[in-house]
Amino acid sequence: MRAPRLQTVVVIRRRDSRTADHDRLRLLAAELADSSPDAVRLGQRCGHCGHDGHGPLTVSGTTVAVRVSLARSGEVVVLAATTGPVLGIDAEWVGRVAAAPLDAWSATERRFLGRTGGTTTPAPRAAGASGAGQMKVVRSDAETTATANRWGGAAAALWTAKEAVLKADGRGLRVDVRQVSVRYRGPTGRVRWAGRPRWARSLRIRRVELDVRERDEGALDGGPRDDGALDGGPLDDGALVIAIATAGRSDVLLRDERA
């Protein structure tokens, strides 16, 4: 008999206080597990320093195991909960990633970004640091806008996937992001990670892109603009790119609660 499909819910909201965002995530976990909200608790402890208040979020008090993740970007917060074994989520605006001096790409990713219009430039580093350079697009005139947006959308898709994977791992950016190489095919992606943990072998990346002027609810694969950034369609600076890292076969439901 086939195992039941896992369930993942992703909620996009206007950013609130840290307490309010965590409480909404707690309620989302209770809903997914069909548990009493009063019994569900959200915890947060750093596995590196042992202190509370930062690090991976955990859930207790649900009738079935639920994992959660949260990402903030500008005025938006993205919440996620799953019945699967791992979960990580990240969200970024295309314009913010395009403007950032990131030195985060594997050799394969640099070649791909170069095909979208990016150029590799020397990146200043601390002594002993490694890497082959930052990627950027120089916007010299209006004719470069489409190229810059295409590169920015692709870079945002790769960067959010890396962050989602490392959130699922629990160590976050303490891991060198260049070790995590992402390759997309349409709105789904796979990860190559040297020395990756066993759970990462079944890791799957799901991506969705939203224009801030659009609202939608439904299955993630049917969400708005879900395959433009890596398949030739440029995204403008106002697009929000979300990456969800899960393991196994999972149905993903997207809710937009920004109204």
Side-chain angles (χ1 to χ4, degrees):
M1 186 173 66
R2 294 184 63 182
R5 289 181 68 92
L6 306 171
Q7 300 294 320
T8 302
V9 180
V10 177
V11 174
I12 306 167
R13 295 172 57 86
R14 297 193 184 279
R15 186 170 177 170
D16 205 332
S17 68
R18 181 177 182 274
T19 299
D21 289 341
H22 281 197
D23 193 55
R24 179 65 185 91
L25 185 58
R26 180 184 65 83
L27 295 176
L28 181 63
E31 174 193 343
L32 187 62
D34 195 21
S35 299
S36 168
D38 293 338
V40 177
R41 297 289 182 269
L42 204 65
Q44 189 173 29
R45 173 167 292 184
C46 177
H48 180 63
C49 70
H51 292 167
D52 295 334
H54 64 281
L57 292 159
T58 57
V59 177
S60 60
T62 52
T63 54
V64 297
V66 173
R67 287 167 175 80
V68 295
S69 189
L70 176 151
R72 297 182 179 92
S73 186
E75 71 274 20
V76 170
V77 62
V78 183
L79 315 172
T82 187
T83 55
V86 295
L87 176 65
I89 194 163
D90 192 52
E92 290 289 352
W93 301 105
V94 168
R96 291 183 64 179
V97 175
L102 294 175
D103 182 14
W105 316 118
S106 68
T108 300
E109 291 166 340
R110 287 196 303 273
R111 287 193 295 271
F112 170 75
L113 289 170
R115 292 196 297 271
T116 67
T119 58
T120 304
T121 62
R125 300 182 189 88
S130 62
Q134 300 167 337
M135 295 293 299
K136 69 176 184 177
V137 167
V138 179
R139 301 186 187 206
S140 58
D141 53 47
E143 291 181 358
T144 67
T145 299
T147 297
N149 287 346
R150 183 176 290 108
W151 177 84
L158 295 175
W159 174 256
T160 54
K162 288 169 178 280
E163 283 234 52
V165 168
L166 295 180
K167 285 183 179 181
D169 176 71
R171 290 174 291 172
L173 294 178
R174 293 197 305 276
V175 176
D176 185 347
V177 293
R178 291 176 298 235
Q179 295 179 6
V180 179
S181 184
V182 178
R183 185 171 184 176
Y184 275 106
R185 178 171 293 178
T188 63
R190 292 289 186 181
V191 175
R192 291 183 178 178
W193 182 359
R196 64 186 176 183
R198 184 177 296 273
W199 60 262
R201 295 176 184 175
S202 62
L203 197 65
R204 188 183 187 197
I205 308 297
R206 307 286 292 277
R207 185 184 88 251
V208 65
E209 294 136 11
L210 296 172
D211 190 299
V212 294
R213 293 158 296 191
E214 297 175 351
R215 297 186 66 254
D216 190 30
E217 180 170 339
L220 186 147
D221 281 342
R225 309 186 69 175
D226 64 359
D227 60 0
L230 298 181
D231 292 334
L235 296 171
D236 63 33
D237 286 356
L240 180 71
V241 178
I242 302 167
I244 307 105
T246 58
R249 296 170 59 85
S250 179
D251 293 323
V252 181
L253 180 71
L254 175 69
R255 297 180 187 168
D256 192 336
E257 298 180 357
R258 285 175 290 167

